[in-house]
Amino acid sequence: PDMKDRTELYTEISEALDLMSSEDWEGARVRLERALEKEPTNPSSLLNMGSVLAHLGKVDEAELHLKAVLSLQPDNLHAKGT
């Protein structure tokens, strides 16, 4: 991604994290979906999407995102421990 895309990506992730901290899981899911459209293999987006989906009760989808993180970062303790 170019610099503009990267800035937009991190803005989406930052907004998602703010929404997660206030337990707005659906709002966070939308932001992370946008981030993953920009960069489908971004470990932070995948990890946080896994967490959001788990909170929304979508356990199978959450597991897929966490497995994707582990395929990119096998030693990611957050993905292993979720």
Side-chain angles (χ1 to χ4, degrees):
D2 65 24
M3 185 59 95
K4 179 180 179 266
D5 288 342
R6 197 153 279 297
T7 300
E8 290 174 3
L9 171 74
Y10 289 116
T11 297
E12 295 290 359
I13 294 170
S14 176
E15 289 176 2
L17 292 172
D18 287 345
L19 291 166
M20 289 170 72
S21 69
S22 63
E23 298 185 10
D24 180 354
W25 306 116
E26 185 57 29
R29 186 196 62 75
V30 169
R31 297 313 186 290
L32 290 167
E33 206 169 76
R34 288 187 204 149
L36 287 167
E37 286 172 6
K38 292 174 179 32
E39 189 177 324
T41 59
N42 181 280
S44 178
S45 298
L46 289 165
L47 179 67
N48 286 302
M49 181 64 96
S51 178
V52 165
L53 290 169
H55 278 93
L56 289 171
K58 299 179 179 189
V59 178
D60 291 341
E61 288 180 62
E63 190 174 314
L64 290 174
H65 283 80
L66 297 174
K67 284 181 179 179
V69 174
L70 291 173
S71 74
L72 297 166
Q73 299 177 331
D75 296 328
N76 187 309
L77 297 177
H78 296 291
K80 284 181 177 182
T82 306

